[in-house]
Amino acid sequence: MTITLNRRRFLIGVGVTASAATLSGCSWLTENDSVQRVLAMAERLTMGSQRFLLSDEALAREYSEADLSPVFKSNGTHEPDSEDYAALADNNFADWRLIVDGLVEQPLSLSLADLKKLPSRTQITRHDCVEGWSAIGKWTGVPLGLLMQTAGLKPDARYLVFHCADEYEKTLDGSGQYYESIDLVDAFHPQTILAYGMNGEDLAIPHGAPLRLRVERQLGYKQAKYLMRIEAVDSFARFYRGKGGFWEDRGYEWYAGI
Ligand SMILES: Nc1nc2c(c(=O)[nH]1)N[C@H]1C(S)=C(S)[C@@H](COP(=O)(O)O)O[C@H]1N2
Ligand SMILES: [Mo]
């Protein structure tokens, strides 16, 4: 298990670095450049990277339209309580940007419109919350692996940290900022997407508008809503209480396998 994961991490590092090395420059891209770059990357994904994205990793079960839950409850934050978020929502998220930075060769800044131009994946999966409820929903979004391959992970990147717009509750160190993290195996898993659509419509505010993570082999609290920034890091020890997520800092498992 450990050997396989390490080898896979090694392969990710090499593959991503090699493709990043063929790209020039390391300054911030304009949004349009970011989109062009992701589109170009999508086109030139080699057979090898396709196979990697469709590797033998276990897939979470996918369901059919008939299985969709009539009601999918909202949990945790229902609407971030900040003026900044309210201003973004008032303008239909036209001014919102997803930042991808940290240990990447090429930081990205993408608008919602940019993300919608990129290749998408739609999947119907079951969301399981530790509080004891489940719901089946249909999610549409950009494969996270595609964005990370485009940004080009540096060799020492081991995790992605997801920074959210909301504070769930102020406890512990006084910060209730919601955040999450995953490793690179999950980041490049074919069912790991950044979802802007739910059940055929734009993702609504109670479910994390404008963008949320779907990492389908893990529990509900890993499905970070209200995404603002994805930071590639070598360790998540320096964030908040150091356990890799809002709920992890409050005692939950970091790897929340279903
Ligand atoms: N930013 C943010 N993401 C979050 C939460 C939150 O409070 N804030 N709650 C988590 C929990 S515990 C669950 S079960 C799901 C709920 O997603 P839903 O509101 O779409 O049902 O979001 C997760 N992601
Ligand atoms: Mo949850």
Side-chain angles (χ1 to χ4, degrees):
M1 182 71 171
T2 313
I3 292 171
T4 317
L5 288 182
N6 285 342
R7 208 175 117 252
R8 192 166 277 148
R9 284 220 178 88
F10 176 68
L11 290 174
I12 293 168
V14 169
V16 169
T17 308
S19 41
T22 66
L23 305 171
S24 61
C26 57
S27 57
W28 278 83
L29 293 177
T30 66
E31 279 139 32
N32 198 38
D33 284 347
S34 294
V35 181
Q36 293 309 323
R37 192 175 290 253
V38 182
L39 283 172
M41 182 62 79
E43 269 167 28
R44 45 186 266 246
L45 279 178
T46 62
M47 185 65 90
S49 33
Q50 295 278 12
R51 227 187 262 141
F52 170 65
L53 284 168
L54 303 172
S55 69
D56 57 356
E57 292 197 41
L59 294 179
R61 180 172 169 194
E62 294 197 13
Y63 297 77
S64 71
E65 300 267 345
D67 301 316
L68 287 173
S69 298
V71 175
F72 196 121
K73 71 176 258 176
S74 159
N75 204 35
T77 299
H78 304 296
E79 177 162 15
D81 179 23
S82 79
E83 283 177 18
D84 287 349
Y85 182 85
L88 292 170
D90 281 350
N91 203 14
N92 238 341
F93 300 104
D95 299 321
W96 170 91
R97 296 292 181 273
L98 176 71
I99 301 300
V100 179
D101 66 357
L103 296 174
V104 297
E105 303 288 347
Q106 183 62 75
L108 305 173
S109 167
L110 296 156
S111 71
L112 196 51
D114 292 338
L115 290 167
K116 289 180 175 177
K117 284 182 212 146
L118 302 177
S120 73
R121 176 184 165 93
T122 294
Q123 58 204 26
I124 299 177
T125 54
R126 196 185 68 203
H127 175 109
D128 296 317
C129 173
V130 284
E131 290 171 9
W133 59 274
S134 298
I136 294 175
K138 179 163 83 168
W139 305 100
T140 300
V142 181
L144 179 56
L146 176 60
L147 283 195
M148 297 324 299
Q149 188 143 21
T150 305
L153 287 170
K154 292 190 171 171
D156 44 347
R158 291 189 63 202
Y159 305 98
L160 300 181
V161 173
F162 298 84
H163 298 279
C164 304
D166 60 314
E167 287 196 306
Y168 182 52
E169 59 182 11
K170 281 200 214 298
T171 50
L172 301 174
D173 55 2
S175 164
Q177 200 66 43
Y178 206 94
Y179 78 107
E180 257 304 338
S181 61
I182 62 174
D183 67 13
L184 299 186
V185 172
D186 265 327
F188 284 87
H189 186 273
Q191 288 171 316
T192 301
I193 63 173
L194 301 177
Y196 48 73
M198 179 185 185
N199 294 341
E201 293 175 9
D202 282 350
L203 189 64
I205 288 177
H207 295 292
L211 195 72
R212 81 177 304 169
L213 175 65
R214 293 301 311 174
V215 50
E216 302 291 359
R217 296 178 303 175
Q218 295 204 55
L219 290 169
Y221 61 88
K222 300 297 288 192
Q223 322 298 322
K225 306 195 279 189
Y226 316 112
L227 295 181
M228 301 300 291
R229 177 178 172 210
I230 301 174
E231 187 178 358
V233 298
D234 57 352
S235 158
F236 44 72
R238 71 175 189 278
F239 298 95
Y240 306 100
R241 300 279 286 209
K243 298 290 195 294
F246 176 92
W247 284 112
E248 288 85 335
D249 284 343
R250 290 153 180 81
Y252 288 16
E253 293 292 322
W254 177 76
Y255 190 83
I258 288 176

